[in-house]
Amino acid sequence: YLLGVSVKFLNDNRYEKILYGLLVACLISCNDLDMNPLSQGSSENWYSNETELNMSVRSLYTTSYWTLDDDAYTDDWTNRTELSPILSATINGQSSQVTSLWTNSYRAIAQANTILDNLPKAEQNGISPKVLELSKAEALFVRAAQYARLVSHFGDVVYVTTSISDLDEAFKMGRTDKATVIKGIYEDFDQAVTLLPLEYSGEEHATKGTAYAMKARFALYNGDYEIAAEAAKNCMDLGIYDLHPDFSDLFYCRTKSSKEFIFVRPRSVELNSVIGTQPYLSRNGGGYAQYDPSWDLFCSFLCTDGKPIDESPLFDPHNPFKNRDPRCTATIVEFGTAHVGFIYEPHPDSLYVMNFNTGVPELNKDTRTNGQYASYNGLIWKKWVDDSYTQNGYKADKNEIIMRYADVLLMYAEARIEQDKVDQSVLDAINAVRARAYGVDKSAVDKYPAVTTLSIPELRKIIRFERRMEFAFEGLRYMDLIRWKLAEKALNTNIYGMLDPEPLRENVVNKGLWFFPETPEVDENGLVDFTKMYNQGQIKLLIERKFDATKQYLWPIPTKEILINDHLKQNPGY
């Protein structure tokens, strides 16, 4: 993929190398042909005008290049009794998660390098300095962001900053030390910042704020807290971003633009750039209720006094949505409330619910009494999900939010905390995010649980709770667990759900113990322990998560890459 081509996996390494050589030879030969492709800059005549250069730059923002880590890799997720390879500790060099990230990142890097290498040609063809400068900036940004993804997941990676056209050269490339790659990433981000505009009209492209924010995220992942704090502060000081007034509204398909969005990949029903919605929808709403929030996530939302559920006198395990941080009911559908045209109620005795589309009660498919495959733990997503998810053939054009301003604020606060540089700006950043969840300004300290402590251990705990509440179902939880070195604890736990209907009635409902029989324990990192309820026969074990800490903090290099290149060494344990 350093050359922009793919290789089909074959059992015989010799045949693979032959196939690879033929594909590369084809690619190199095409560069010599006198043709003008309509969609890709690969001929001698390409970059002859501004349109061709702009087409090449736009290709850097292909949606598949910017996919964040799936929440299915984390303790925020339940998929009945199924696990991803990451949560079953079966991830290997042929896992789709591994090959997809590696392939797409190197495709983007190859395209960025090609643009950078051809800018002199574009200049000779009379393209304006302004367009050349912007193209350079975007290519540098994309290269930095893609290498940041690779380093965060694989550690040492193959580091290439020019186009490669020689097959022998490609086969001799090994992995570059992570520290060297990190240095190059920061340099690319810094150079991009100097050239990128503050804002970009039209399609979503990188801006100064995007580069600052993505640099901050990468620095935080690598424990470079001073760099992270500085980059986040630079983004904040641009003065062009703000928190969206309504937390819930930010994630609906109708919200196509917001001052909170820093880097977004838009989708479109008209262009068939959509996601399938049925796995996330209630069964009454026409979905499967298959991909659901975990109990772990549900129990990590604080109460309205700012305390965890096992510390707050406000928490009632039998009415678990009451007195919770508003992001709880904005993320998970509250029992007995209207959702996509129906009352949502998983109680085993709730056999019928109101259908607001017809105005009459209807058989409740979201209780496991009526539907065997209704949510196994009673929870379904509300974040992202509204009536639009039932339309257009159950396809939705929700934005893919890569970076938003709330993340910048919390990254700034965390980086300062980890440097032991806590001041009012740190508290202001956290409180701005928390106050927005309550729909008030951070100055209205009597209307939300404002953070006032200056204790580093307490603030570290607060940040970890805050990030989980704020960014659930946004693809950030996995890397948070990895960088906090919590994956081995959080991902070696069990996934629990409700008992089957009859035992549920006998052991829970008839004893007045619905929904949770008791309050589970929550540790300082927001990790929840349901063992006691399970040992008492009050909840059901769905499946055990497994995470191998001896190797899984890094992903394996794709097997096919190892097979075709003797100089490319595998990560330990794979």
Side-chain angles (χ1 to χ4, degrees), residues 292-308:
D292 301 319
S294 66
W295 279 359
D296 308 70
L297 172 64
F298 183 33
C299 292
S300 71
F301 286 91
L302 301 175
C303 292
T304 52
D305 56 6
K307 296 179 180 180

Side-chain angles (χ1 to χ4, degrees), residues 295 297-304 309 314-325 328-329 332-336 345-347 377-379 513-520 530 533:
W295 279 359
L297 172 64
F298 183 33
C299 292
S300 71
F301 286 91
L302 301 175
C303 292
T304 52
I309 60 172
L314 300 177
F315 181 69
D316 179 358
H318 310 313
N319 191 1
F321 288 94
K322 184 180 179 182
N323 299 323
R324 306 293 294 281
D325 183 294
C328 181
T329 52
I332 301 170
V333 178
E334 182 176 4
F335 304 157
E345 182 54 74
H347 193 288
N377 66 5
L379 307 181
L513 300 178
W514 172 267
F515 176 67
F516 284 127
E518 60 183 50
T519 302
F530 298 97
M533 281 187 280

Side-chain angles (χ1 to χ4, degrees), residues 52 54 107 148 222 238 260 351 390 417 432-433 494 501 529 555:
E52 292 172 355
N54 286 338
R107 279 178 175 165
N222 284 280
L238 293 176
E260 185 160 348
L351 304 183
T390 66
I417 291 166
V433 175
N494 297 332
D529 186 357
W555 285 8

Side-chain angles (χ1 to χ4, degrees), residues 79-122:
N79 178 10
R80 297 175 180 161
T81 58
E82 297 181 20
L83 294 173
S84 69
I86 294 168
L87 292 189
S88 60
T90 59
I91 185 171
N92 59 49
Q94 297 177 55
S95 298
S96 61
Q97 295 84 353
V98 170
T99 57
S100 177
L101 190 152
W102 182 277
T103 300
N104 287 322
S105 290
Y106 274 116
R107 279 178 175 165
I109 289 166
Q111 290 175 221
N113 285 338
T114 300
I115 290 171
L116 292 168
D117 288 348
N118 281 278
L119 289 179
K121 181 197 297 184

Side-chain angles (χ1 to χ4, degrees), residues 322-365:
K322 184 180 179 182
N323 299 323
R324 306 293 294 281
D325 183 294
R327 285 168 291 192
C328 181
T329 52
T331 302
I332 301 170
V333 178
E334 182 176 4
F335 304 157
T337 64
H339 180 63
V340 295
F342 293 82
I343 290 292
Y344 180 74
E345 182 54 74
H347 193 288
D349 293 337
S350 182
L351 304 183
Y352 292 86
V353 292
M354 176 59 68
N355 180 342
F356 293 102
N357 302 302
T358 63
V360 297
E362 185 175 303
L363 185 72
N364 181 12
K365 300 174 185 176

Side-chain angles (χ1 to χ4, degrees), residues 7-21 93-94 99 102 170-173 556-570:
V7 181
K8 184 178 179 179
F9 179 82
L10 298 173
N11 290 328
D12 193 319
N13 190 16
R14 294 171 300 167
Y15 292 120
E16 178 132 17
K17 287 191 175 182
I18 291 170
L19 176 58
Y20 186 78
Q94 297 177 55
T99 57
W102 182 277
F171 279 135
K172 292 177 182 177
M173 286 187 172
I557 305 299
T559 302
K560 59 188 175 184
E561 304 294 337
I562 300 291
L563 288 174
I564 62 175
N565 184 350
D566 295 335
H567 296 270
L568 201 58
K569 304 304 179 184
Q570 185 57 276

Side-chain angles (χ1 to χ4, degrees), residues 211-491:
Y212 278 137
M214 295 295 279
K215 180 183 178 182
R217 176 178 287 172
F218 178 62
L220 201 65
Y221 285 178
N222 284 280
D224 293 332
Y225 299 119
E226 184 175 356
I227 294 174
E230 180 183 18
K233 185 64 163 58
N234 286 338
C235 183
M236 293 157 62
D237 288 345
L238 293 176
I240 60 175
Y241 303 111
D242 201 357
L243 295 173
H244 197 74
D246 185 332
F247 176 82
S248 299
D249 182 67
L250 186 63
F251 306 101
Y252 294 144
C253 292
R254 63 176 178 266
T255 306
K256 297 300 183 184
S257 62
S258 169
K259 283 190 173 183
E260 185 160 348
F261 293 156
I262 296 176
F263 188 34
V264 174
R265 297 304 307 132
R267 293 182 180 271
S268 167
V269 170
E270 291 76 13
L271 298 177
N272 200 32
S273 174
V274 293
I275 63 162
T277 64
Q278 286 179 292
Y280 310 98
L281 274 167
S282 65
R283 298 183 76 82
N284 286 328
Y288 311 141
Q290 178 181 356
Y291 300 159
D292 301 319
S294 66
W295 279 359
D296 308 70
L297 172 64
F298 183 33
C299 292
S300 71
F301 286 91
L302 301 175
C303 292
T304 52
D305 56 6
K307 296 179 180 180
I309 60 172
D310 63 339
E311 296 179 16
S312 174
L314 300 177
F315 181 69
D316 179 358
H318 310 313
N319 191 1
F321 288 94
K322 184 180 179 182
N323 299 323
R324 306 293 294 281
D325 183 294
R327 285 168 291 192
C328 181
T329 52
T331 302
I332 301 170
V333 178
E334 182 176 4
F335 304 157
T337 64
H339 180 63
V340 295
F342 293 82
I343 290 292
Y344 180 74
E345 182 54 74
H347 193 288
D349 293 337
S350 182
L351 304 183
Y352 292 86
V353 292
M354 176 59 68
N355 180 342
F356 293 102
N357 302 302
T358 63
V360 297
E362 185 175 303
L363 185 72
N364 181 12
K365 300 174 185 176
D366 284 309
T367 174
R368 298 196 68 222
T369 303
N370 292 333
Q372 178 182 358
Y373 295 106
S375 172
Y376 281 22
N377 66 5
L379 307 181
I380 59 172
W381 293 107
K382 185 174 182 181
K383 194 173 189 178
W384 302 106
V385 182
D386 65 355
D387 289 342
S388 68
Y389 266 49
T390 66
Q391 301 163 9
N392 301 305
Y394 294 102
K395 295 179 180 179
D397 57 355
K398 77 178 185 70
N399 284 329
E400 293 294 319
I401 302 175
I402 310 302
M403 180 67 70
R404 58 186 179 91
Y405 190 54
D407 199 0
V408 173
L409 292 173
L410 293 184
M411 286 192 296
Y412 169 76
E414 182 177 350
R416 296 277 294 187
I417 291 166
E418 295 300 335
Q419 292 181 84
D420 197 9
K421 293 183 178 179
V422 175
D423 57 16
Q424 189 60 43
S425 69
V426 171
L427 302 184
D428 286 345
I430 300 171
N431 284 330
V433 175
R434 181 172 288 190
R436 187 270 298 274
Y438 284 79
V440 300
D441 186 84
K442 68 177 184 294
S443 61
V445 294
D446 59 328
K447 297 181 179 178
Y448 75 101
V451 177
T452 58
T453 182
L454 299 178
S455 163
I456 298 296
E458 280 298 310
L459 286 170
R460 184 178 291 119
K461 174 181 177 180
I462 287 167
I463 278 288
R464 294 182 179 187
F465 275 88
E466 200 68 25
R467 286 190 65 84
R468 195 171 190 185
M469 293 189 294
E470 181 72 18
F471 301 120
F473 202 15
E474 293 187 51
L476 299 181
R477 175 68 174 169
Y478 176 73
M479 282 308 303
D480 281 351
L481 290 174
I482 293 296
R483 67 191 179 85
W484 290 333
K485 291 295 185 286
L486 286 177
E488 60 200 84
K489 185 175 182 180
L491 305 184

